[in-house]
Amino acid sequence: MKKLLFFVLVFVQFAWCMERQPNADYHVRREKLAAKTKGGAVLLFAAIEADGPNAVYGFRQDNNFYYLTGWRQPGAALLIVPASPEKPDSPARPYTEILFLPNHNYVQEKWTGPKLGPEDANARSITGFDKVEVLDNLRIELVNLLASRTPVFTDIVTPDDSSTSTEAIEWLKRANAFPLGTSFQDVRPLLSSLRTFKDDGELELIRKAADASTAAQLAAFKNIKPGMGEQEVSALLQYEWSKRGCERPAYAPIVGSGFNSTVLHYSDDDGPIKDGDLVLMDAAGEYSMYASDVTRTVPANGKFTARQREIYEIVLGAQEAAIHAFQSGKSTLRGNVPDSLYKAAFDYINTHGKDSHGQPLGKYFIHGLSHYVGLAVHDDGDYNIPVGPGMVFTIEPGIYIPDEKIGVRIEDDFYVNRDGKLINLTGNLARTPDDVEHAMATK
Ligand code: GLY
Ligand code: MN
Ligand code: MN
């Protein structure tokens, strides 16, 4: 009974409000990263709990640290050391990975809640690490485990770098934790190449972020009317995706009406919505650390004008052109080159419609077409390779004509499945002008 109570207490204390993939998924990533270092060690630090004006949404883990550990508490460290063969002065040692947790700071825990301490008997099963140690042991473990000339892969390599690892690495260098001649290598390109391809668990979380976000957008469609403020629409969007499990917006929500619809990263969201305006909503939630990124543009009064509809249809045509041009393993996301989806969308815009001076519209498409989506809304990833299975990215053409107070962007999140098929994760939300008007009219 006592034992049962103990487990119940532990479970309650460390139950995940947010979802987390099985420990094995994070372990697989650590092994893949270790293989990419070709015999190097990996040393990374978690984010630190910080107060202040930028901590509006509270603590959020560093993306790379989270990707490798699934660990959402502050102040931890990750060390991976490759296997080493037997040498005259040392025995053989297997591949080793250690999660270092800080000792309890009970004063801080009064403010921000209980944390898992390294002394906890369940620390290994909770975190999925065979070895969990107190952070104070990191220096001595480095001294013991790092063979001379083992490159250390981390995210602070040049004097310009700044990351969650900066202060700790500098301290460890001063404390002679690394053998003489240790070289520091950049772990970020290796992590980027892994993060380019989402596993099934990641895809599931992105799907949930996308579903909550499209439901929120639909709620906004049904509520927008002239006389409302952009702020109220932003509040509604945030309430609706939070209600569906998102912990925060995936980025600063953009609700721009009239002229504001032409401002790409408008985030004041404090203007009035007037009759005849278009309202551009680039707004989506983050679900269990994973982003989505959705834009729809709707008429404030529920009916597009002829000119708004004309521009809207060109943007939609450009999105369709990119979707149709897609070929798994061949298409690229960027550049004005033959296989680029950007080129397919740009060419469509530049050959359809005219501005008020009779000029082509290409010059009003002033941003890129696509970026990866994952732990970050503009996710790390390799942009030099063709897109294929496992990749998640946006297709988001837009036309912005400030003189006409017309800004239209349509943005959806896409996934390439194992068969190389392009799946629109946000395509259940109305996209055609008729469907948008119909969704707005249906209460
Ligand atoms: N929401 C930012 C973007 O679309 O890239
Ligand atoms: Mn985007
Ligand atoms: Mn967006």
Side-chain angles (χ1 to χ4, degrees), residues 293 371 378 394 396 411:
D293 191 3
H371 55 81
H378 294 169
T394 65
E396 50 174 308
E411 175 172 30

Side-chain angles (χ1 to χ4, degrees), residues 146-363:
L146 281 188
S148 62
R149 288 189 297 282
T150 305
V152 173
F153 283 77
T154 186
D155 58 358
I156 167 90
V157 182
T158 75
D160 297 335
D161 287 333
S162 153
S163 77
T164 51
S165 308
T166 306
E167 280 182 29
I169 297 263
E170 287 311 315
W171 184 89
L172 288 165
K173 281 182 184 169
R174 287 196 300 275
N176 298 322
F178 305 103
L180 261 167
T182 298
S183 67
F184 292 88
Q185 309 273 341
D186 199 347
V187 76
R188 289 165 294 190
L190 307 186
L191 277 164
S192 240
S193 67
L194 289 175
R195 282 174 57 185
T196 307
F197 302 93
K198 272 63 185 178
D199 62 31
D200 289 349
E202 292 185 285
L203 181 63
E204 203 45 43
L205 296 175
I206 295 171
R207 252 187 219 287
K208 288 181 177 174
D211 288 348
S213 302
T214 52
Q217 288 257 353
L218 184 62
F221 280 26
K222 294 184 186 305
N223 280 277
I224 284 177
K225 52 182 178 303
M228 271 176 98
E230 293 167 354
Q231 212 152 41
E232 189 179 345
V233 176
S234 174
L236 176 72
L237 285 157
Q238 297 188 53
Y239 168 72
E240 291 288 340
W241 67 56
S242 301
K243 197 167 84 175
R244 292 169 174 83
C246 291
E247 63 270 13
R248 55 172 75 81
Y251 50 92
I254 298 165
V255 180
S257 58
F259 172 83
N260 296 337
S261 66
T262 70
V263 180
L264 296 185
H265 277 181
Y266 174 76
S267 60
D268 290 348
D269 297 4
D270 64 353
I273 295 175
K274 299 198 282 295
D275 196 13
D277 279 352
L278 281 178
V279 185
L280 185 153
M281 295 178 286
D282 184 345
E286 174 183 298
Y287 188 100
S288 293
M289 298 291 285
Y290 279 82
S292 54
D293 191 3
V294 184
T295 309
R296 287 295 185 270
T297 309
V298 304
N301 62 16
K303 285 276 171 213
F304 290 99
T305 65
R307 179 61 170 164
Q308 289 169 349
R309 183 177 272 262
E310 181 193 358
I311 298 296
Y312 190 102
E313 275 173 345
I314 295 169
V315 175
L316 184 62
Q319 198 192 37
E320 289 295 334
I323 292 168
H324 282 122
F326 174 79
Q327 290 184 67
S328 182
K330 191 155 186 241
S331 298
T332 57
L333 295 181
R334 295 183 169 176
N336 213 355
V337 292
D339 288 319
S340 124
L341 299 185
Y342 170 83
K343 181 173 163 48
F346 179 87
D347 288 350
Y348 187 93
I349 288 173
N350 211 33
T351 53
H352 289 77
K354 293 276 187 286
D355 70 6
S356 58
H357 310 287
Q359 297 299 309
L361 295 175
K363 67 176 174 187

Side-chain angles (χ1 to χ4, degrees), residues 14-41:
F14 298 110
W16 298 102
C17 300
M18 294 183 356
E19 289 176 40
R20 184 175 184 272
Q21 293 179 235
N23 283 335
D25 290 7
Y26 302 100
H27 176 71
V28 164
R29 293 175 196 164
R30 295 193 290 273
E31 286 193 328
K32 282 188 180 167
L33 178 63
K36 278 181 178 285
T37 67
K38 299 193 167 54

Side-chain angles (χ1 to χ4, degrees), residues 65-91:
F65 195 86
Y66 188 78
Y67 182 76
L68 293 172
T69 61
W71 190 241
R72 284 200 299 110
Q73 294 185 4
L78 166 67
L79 176 64
I80 303 173
V81 184
S84 68
E86 187 178 338
K87 297 200 186 115
D89 53 351
S90 59

